[in-house]
Amino acid sequence: MAATVTNTSPVVDVGVGGGPKSKGGNGFRKNGGGHDGTDFRFSPARYRVGIWVAIASIVMLFTGLASAYIVRSASADDWVRIAMPKMLWLSTSAILISSVTIEISRRSLKRKGEAQYGMWLTITAALGVVFVASQFFAWRQLARQGVFVASNPHSAFFYLFTGAHAIHVLGGLCALAYLLLRTRKKRDSVEGELKRVGVVDAATTYWHFLDGLWICLFLLLFFWK
């Protein structure tokens, strides 16, 4: 990762990928130990480690729920599969496309395309809202059919899985809102710009994870057994 500071402008350019070289401890040195020896206390690895710890905890949660789902479906006579709400096709399409748009946004930032970065980030947030809204309408569709949480074990797991996933998507939307409100413009310091890039990378990783998690849940709920 390269970092450049000009003497005439407060705006800084920081590329994505490659990262500044660690000087040891928490310190970072501009351009991997440039001629001016400027040190940075911020490390992009902090965001990466934080997001992967969060993802690991979510994986553990859903792995436990999925295990319970598989055991329950194989050992109960009252297991009645519910019909998949057609609205889920819309929500699945929305989150799949959003994973593409957030990656385009991240790469636009890498290419220093500030306008494209903001535009694709906005589109991603809109698709995230569409996903959550379509999940809500899927629940309403089931309710109109008389399928509620207590109707049978499969419906209970459906509401549990989709509700828990939607909560995590709302958390992702909060992260996207933060990016839109606080990080659409370059920072006036190299360290500030490094933080912006680090947050974008972490949010993108989390959003890709939510996409993959939903696909796994979708297949489990409607194609397992």
Side-chain angles (χ1 to χ4, degrees), residues 7-72:
N7 293 329
T8 58
S9 172
V11 174
V12 298
D13 291 332
V14 177
V16 180
K21 306 299 183 184
S22 175
K23 184 189 175 188
N26 293 327
F28 270 74
R29 176 167 292 178
K30 184 168 66 175
N31 292 330
H35 61 279
D36 61 356
T38 303
D39 294 332
F40 299 110
R41 296 180 61 82
F42 171 76
S43 164
R46 295 179 183 177
Y47 289 140
R48 287 198 294 270
V49 171
I51 199 63
W52 281 112
V53 168
I55 288 175
S57 65
I58 297 171
V59 167
M60 292 174 64
L61 169 66
F62 279 93
T63 298
L65 293 174
S67 299
Y69 175 91
I70 292 172
V71 171
R72 186 72 171 83

XYZ file of all heavy atoms in Angstrom, residues 7-72:
483
model
N 2.727 18.647 -0.436
C 2.946 19.826 0.402
C 1.928 20.912 0.154
O 1.744 21.816 0.940
C 4.350 20.380 0.137
C 5.419 19.409 0.611
O 5.195 18.672 1.578
N 6.552 19.401 -0.086
N 1.228 20.848 -1.006
C 0.321 21.935 -1.360
C -1.134 21.610 -1.122
O -1.979 22.470 -1.198
C 0.499 22.287 -2.839
O 0.255 21.113 -3.627
C 1.918 22.784 -3.102
N -1.463 20.364 -0.857
C -2.865 20.006 -0.676
C -3.034 19.167 0.563
O -2.187 18.323 0.880
C -3.357 19.221 -1.905
O -4.648 18.712 -1.667
N -4.137 19.400 1.326
C -4.372 18.585 2.512
C -4.883 17.207 2.170
O -4.975 16.349 3.014
C -5.427 19.389 3.276
C -6.186 20.109 2.207
C -5.156 20.429 1.164
N -5.272 16.977 0.894
C -5.832 15.697 0.495
C -4.715 14.696 0.298
O -3.679 15.008 -0.263
C -6.637 15.848 -0.806
C -7.102 14.476 -1.287
C -7.829 16.750 -0.563
N -4.958 13.462 0.743
C -3.942 12.427 0.625
C -4.494 11.292 -0.202
O -5.686 11.075 -0.278
C -3.505 11.898 2.005
C -2.887 13.004 2.811
C -4.698 11.289 2.734
N -3.605 10.563 -0.861
C -3.977 9.399 -1.639
C -3.378 8.178 -0.990
O -2.178 8.115 -0.749
C -3.462 9.519 -3.075
C -4.187 10.610 -3.832
O -5.347 10.877 -3.497
O -3.576 11.193 -4.748
N -4.233 7.202 -0.757
C -3.766 5.956 -0.180
C -4.333 4.828 -1.001
O -5.536 4.679 -1.110
C -4.222 5.812 1.283
C -3.779 4.451 1.817
C -3.640 6.929 2.115
N -3.485 4.009 -1.604
C -3.949 2.863 -2.362
C -4.381 1.755 -1.443
O -4.052 1.738 -0.270
N -5.134 0.810 -2.018
C -5.609 -0.327 -1.256
C -4.783 -1.529 -1.647
O -4.493 -1.752 -2.806
C -7.085 -0.600 -1.552
C -7.575 -1.795 -0.738
C -7.903 0.627 -1.255
N -4.474 -2.361 -0.657
C -3.748 -3.592 -0.935
C -2.259 -3.388 -0.740
O -1.675 -2.396 -1.113
N -1.664 -4.384 -0.144
C -0.241 -4.294 0.052
C 0.136 -3.722 1.396
O 1.082 -4.168 2.000
N -0.583 -2.733 1.893
C -0.446 -2.211 3.235
C 0.942 -1.725 3.567
O 1.937 -2.208 3.071
N 1.003 -0.736 4.409
C 2.307 -0.272 4.851
C 2.983 -1.338 5.684
O 2.342 -2.143 6.310
C 1.975 0.971 5.690
C 0.565 0.776 6.107
C -0.090 0.008 5.008
N 4.279 -1.329 5.668
C 5.012 -2.345 6.394
C 5.041 -2.022 7.877
O 5.249 -0.887 8.286
C 6.443 -2.454 5.865
C 6.502 -2.692 4.361
C 5.821 -3.984 3.963
C 5.956 -4.223 2.480
N 5.228 -5.409 2.035
N 4.858 -3.068 8.666
C 4.883 -2.876 10.103
C 6.291 -2.594 10.575
O 7.239 -3.247 10.159
C 4.345 -4.129 10.799
O 4.474 -3.987 12.195
N 6.389 -1.596 11.430
C 7.684 -1.278 11.988
C 7.959 -2.128 13.216
O 9.047 -2.170 13.735
C 7.714 0.218 12.348
C 9.058 0.703 12.862
C 8.900 2.105 13.394
C 10.197 2.585 14.038
N 10.037 3.860 14.725
N 6.897 -2.818 13.656
C 7.007 -3.540 14.905
C 6.084 -2.921 15.915
O 5.875 -1.722 15.937
N 5.465 -3.742 16.757
C 4.497 -3.239 17.702
C 3.300 -2.706 16.971
O 2.855 -3.274 15.985
N 2.741 -1.567 17.414
C 1.580 -0.969 16.775
C 1.972 0.088 15.760
O 1.121 0.699 15.135
C 0.667 -0.330 17.823
C 0.071 -1.399 18.706
O -0.187 -2.507 18.248
N -0.115 -1.065 19.979
N 3.220 0.362 15.579
C 3.637 1.457 14.723
C 3.660 1.079 13.266
O 3.966 -0.040 12.904
N 3.333 2.045 12.391
C 3.428 1.865 10.948
C 4.218 3.023 10.384
O 4.134 4.148 10.861
C 2.039 1.806 10.313
C 1.512 0.422 10.244
C 1.071 -0.204 11.398
C 1.496 -0.285 9.065
C 0.600 -1.496 11.353
C 1.028 -1.578 9.014
C 0.571 -2.188 10.163
N 4.951 2.728 9.334
C 5.794 3.770 8.746
C 5.346 4.020 7.327
O 5.116 3.078 6.577
C 7.259 3.324 8.780
C 8.197 4.278 8.110
C 9.612 3.941 8.447
N 9.896 4.192 9.858
C 11.059 3.947 10.416
N 12.041 3.453 9.711
N 11.246 4.204 11.697
N 5.178 5.281 6.979
C 4.711 5.642 5.656
C 5.578 5.024 4.577
O 6.791 5.032 4.657
C 4.697 7.168 5.524
C 4.115 7.638 4.195
C 3.846 9.122 4.195
C 5.114 9.922 4.285
N 4.848 11.361 4.162
N 4.882 4.458 3.505
C 5.575 3.837 2.380
C 6.522 2.736 2.844
O 7.574 2.515 2.268
C 6.350 4.871 1.569
C 5.431 5.829 0.854
O 4.311 5.454 0.486
N 5.880 7.055 0.669
N 6.090 2.032 3.912
C 6.898 0.925 4.380
C 8.254 1.370 4.907
O 9.236 0.645 4.830
N 8.314 2.510 5.513
C 9.585 2.971 6.054
C 10.239 3.953 5.120
O 11.353 3.739 4.656
N 9.484 5.024 4.797
C 9.949 5.989 3.818
C 11.093 6.822 4.328
O 11.571 6.689 5.450
N 11.507 7.750 3.480
C 12.695 8.514 3.804
C 12.474 9.457 4.964
O 13.416 9.829 5.654
C 13.125 9.318 2.577
C 12.086 10.307 2.124
N 11.020 9.928 1.352
C 11.967 11.631 2.374
C 10.282 11.028 1.100
N 10.833 12.048 1.717
N 11.193 9.869 5.180
C 10.961 10.799 6.274
C 10.701 10.095 7.592
O 10.623 10.728 8.639
C 9.807 11.733 5.945
C 8.514 10.970 5.740
O 8.539 9.713 5.780
O 7.471 11.625 5.553
N 10.528 8.763 7.530
C 10.413 7.992 8.757
C 9.161 8.266 9.541
O 9.129 8.081 10.765
N 8.088 8.737 8.877
C 6.837 9.012 9.571
C 6.200 7.718 10.080
O 6.056 6.760 9.333
C 5.858 9.725 8.649
O 6.463 10.918 8.169
C 4.574 10.072 9.391
N 5.847 7.666 11.322
C 5.244 6.482 11.920
C 3.744 6.671 12.083
O 3.259 7.777 12.324
C 5.863 6.210 13.296
C 7.325 5.843 13.169
O 7.715 5.310 12.130
O 8.072 6.129 14.139
N 2.988 5.567 11.935
C 1.546 5.600 12.140
C 1.181 4.635 13.252
O 1.649 3.498 13.279
C 0.813 5.197 10.857
C 1.081 6.105 9.694
C 1.837 5.671 8.616
C 0.607 7.395 9.698
C 2.092 6.508 7.547
C 0.863 8.241 8.637
C 1.606 7.797 7.566
N 0.338 5.096 14.128
C -0.124 4.228 15.208
C -1.216 3.290 14.712
O -1.453 2.238 15.277
C -0.657 5.074 16.375
C 0.412 5.938 17.019
C -0.183 6.734 18.167
N -0.718 5.872 19.196
C -0.007 5.308 20.140
N 1.284 5.538 20.219
N -0.563 4.517 21.042
N -1.915 3.674 13.637
C -3.021 2.859 13.134
C -2.515 1.725 12.266
O -1.606 1.899 11.455
C -3.980 3.730 12.319
C -5.017 2.917 11.590
C -6.091 2.382 12.269
C -4.886 2.654 10.235
C -7.038 1.617 11.606
C -5.822 1.892 9.565
C -6.901 1.384 10.255
N -3.130 0.554 12.420
C -2.813 -0.599 11.576
C -4.107 -1.111 10.962
O -5.065 -1.405 11.691
C -2.175 -1.713 12.417
O -2.208 -2.929 11.683
N -4.166 -1.240 9.607
C -5.372 -1.801 8.978
C -5.691 -3.190 9.495
O -6.838 -3.632 9.421
C -4.993 -1.824 7.491
C -3.932 -0.786 7.341
C -3.152 -0.823 8.625
N -4.688 -3.893 10.004
C -4.920 -5.254 10.511
C -5.902 -5.254 11.671
O -6.563 -6.264 11.915
C -3.595 -5.872 10.940
N -6.017 -4.143 12.380
C -6.963 -4.087 13.498
C -8.377 -4.326 13.014
O -9.155 -5.066 13.614
C -6.865 -2.728 14.201
C -5.544 -2.467 14.883
C -5.546 -1.094 15.531
N -4.259 -0.790 16.137
C -3.967 0.363 16.717
N -4.882 1.314 16.775
N -2.773 0.568 17.236
N -8.752 -3.676 11.916
C -10.098 -3.850 11.373
C -10.288 -5.261 10.842
O -11.349 -5.857 10.994
C -10.371 -2.829 10.271
C -10.545 -1.419 10.768
C -10.004 -0.340 10.064
C -11.258 -1.161 11.931
C -10.167 0.962 10.512
C -11.419 0.140 12.387
C -10.872 1.191 11.673
O -11.028 2.480 12.123
N -9.246 -5.784 10.166
C -9.363 -7.141 9.618
C -9.550 -8.158 10.729
O -10.409 -9.041 10.632
C -8.115 -7.460 8.781
C -8.041 -6.745 7.444
C -7.056 -7.431 6.517
N -5.697 -7.333 7.027
C -4.864 -6.334 6.721
N -5.259 -5.366 5.918
N -3.642 -6.299 7.212
N -8.759 -8.052 11.758
C -8.882 -9.000 12.869
C -10.249 -8.855 13.534
O -10.923 -9.848 13.838
C -7.753 -8.759 13.904
C -8.003 -9.602 15.161
C -6.404 -9.105 13.307
N -10.680 -7.628 13.733
C -11.974 -7.396 14.378
C -13.123 -7.996 13.598
O -14.007 -8.650 14.172
N -13.118 -7.807 12.277
C -14.246 -8.305 11.482
C -14.234 -9.825 11.409
O -15.290 -10.470 11.408
C -14.230 -7.666 10.070
C -15.621 -7.798 9.435
C -13.200 -8.316 9.177
C -16.707 -7.083 10.166
N -13.028 -10.414 11.369
C -12.972 -11.885 11.318
C -13.356 -12.506 12.649
O -13.942 -13.602 12.688
C -11.582 -12.349 10.872
C -11.391 -12.235 9.387
C -10.560 -11.388 8.725
C -12.083 -12.980 8.369
N -10.691 -11.544 7.360
C -11.613 -12.517 7.114
C -13.052 -13.983 8.398
C -12.088 -13.018 5.902
C -13.530 -14.488 7.182
C -13.040 -14.014 5.972
N -13.075 -11.829 13.734
C -13.536 -12.320 15.038
C -15.065 -12.277 15.098
O -15.720 -13.217 15.563
C -12.923 -11.481 16.182
C -13.614 -11.792 17.510
C -11.432 -11.748 16.297
N -15.646 -11.178 14.595
C -17.103 -11.061 14.561
C -17.715 -12.143 13.678
O -18.718 -12.780 14.044
C -17.497 -9.671 14.067
N -17.118 -12.362 12.513
C -17.628 -13.390 11.600
C -17.531 -14.779 12.235
O -18.449 -15.594 12.110
C -16.846 -13.330 10.267
C -17.259 -12.083 9.481
C -17.090 -14.585 9.444
C -16.458 -11.854 8.215
N -16.441 -15.049 12.931
C -16.277 -16.362 13.578
C -17.373 -16.596 14.606
O -17.924 -17.708 14.716
C -14.898 -16.440 14.229
N -17.713 -15.557 15.362
C -18.763 -15.718 16.375
C -20.118 -15.960 15.716
O -20.929 -16.758 16.213
C -18.814 -14.481 17.272
O -19.211 -13.333 16.539
N -20.377 -15.299 14.596
C -21.649 -15.502 13.887
C -21.702 -16.906 13.288
O -22.745 -17.569 13.304
C -21.815 -14.427 12.795
C -21.878 -13.040 13.427
C -23.094 -14.690 11.984
C -21.831 -11.904 12.419
N -20.576 -17.363 12.748
C -20.520 -18.722 12.189
C -20.828 -19.751 13.267
O -21.574 -20.719 13.044
C -19.134 -18.982 11.569
C -18.952 -20.473 11.267
C -18.960 -18.178 10.294
N -20.274 -19.551 14.457
C -20.535 -20.484 15.559
C -22.016 -20.497 15.903
O -22.604 -21.559 16.156
C -19.700 -20.092 16.769
C -18.201 -20.296 16.580
S -17.225 -19.674 17.961
C -17.809 -20.737 19.275
N -22.645 -19.318 15.923
C -24.070 -19.233 16.230
C -24.903 -20.010 15.216
O -25.729 -20.862 15.584
C -24.498 -17.759 16.254
C -26.017 -17.511 16.291
C -26.606 -18.015 17.607
C -26.318 -16.021 16.099
N -24.670 -19.750 13.939
C -25.500 -20.385 12.922
C -25.143 -21.866 12.736
O -25.999 -22.647 12.326
C -25.377 -19.619 11.599
C -26.240 -18.394 11.543
C -25.740 -17.162 11.915
C -27.572 -18.482 11.145
C -26.540 -16.026 11.885
C -28.376 -17.354 11.104
C -27.867 -16.126 11.486
N -23.915 -22.240 13.021
C -23.564 -23.659 12.967
C -24.342 -24.433 14.023
O -24.858 -25.534 13.758
C -22.051 -23.846 13.192
O -21.343 -23.182 12.148
C -21.683 -25.320 13.172
N -24.451 -23.856 15.201
C -25.237 -24.503 16.252
C -26.699 -24.616 15.872
O -27.338 -25.675 16.074
N -27.255 -23.553 15.315
C -28.661 -23.580 14.903
C -28.893 -24.573 13.765
O -29.896 -25.299 13.756
C -29.103 -22.179 14.476
C -29.160 -21.114 15.580
C -29.481 -19.744 14.982
C -30.196 -21.488 16.634
N -27.957 -24.614 12.823
C -28.099 -25.537 11.695
C -28.018 -26.986 12.161
O -28.748 -27.854 11.651
C -27.018 -25.253 10.654
N -27.147 -27.245 13.114
C -27.047 -28.605 13.656
C -28.359 -29.007 14.316
O -28.841 -30.140 14.141
C -25.897 -28.679 14.664
O -24.662 -28.377 14.044
N -28.934 -28.089 15.077
C -30.218 -28.381 15.718
C -31.307 -28.607 14.671
O -32.169 -29.490 14.832
C -30.599 -27.210 16.632
N -31.273 -27.835 13.608
C -32.256 -27.976 12.524
C -32.163 -29.371 11.892
O -33.181 -30.044 11.689
C -31.989 -26.892 11.484
C -32.843 -26.976 10.241
C -34.068 -26.306 10.169
C -32.427 -27.713 9.139
C -34.847 -26.367 9.029
C -33.203 -27.783 7.991
C -34.409 -27.108 7.935
O -35.189 -27.181 6.799
N -30.947 -29.809 11.594
C -30.759 -31.101 10.923
C -31.200 -32.250 11.832
O -31.896 -33.180 11.408
C -29.276 -31.253 10.509
C -28.941 -30.244 9.412
C -28.990 -32.672 10.031
C -27.467 -30.167 9.070
N -30.812 -32.169 13.098
C -31.191 -33.235 14.037
C -32.698 -33.267 14.223
O -33.330 -34.332 14.207
C -30.478 -33.020 15.391
C -31.023 -33.989 16.437
C -28.973 -33.199 15.228
N -33.292 -32.099 14.386
C -34.747 -32.027 14.613
C -35.529 -32.522 13.397
O -36.543 -33.215 13.532
C -35.130 -30.581 14.914
C -36.592 -30.379 15.303
C -36.850 -30.933 16.692
N -38.188 -30.574 17.171
C -39.293 -31.239 16.869
N -39.234 -32.286 16.054
N -40.466 -30.869 17.356
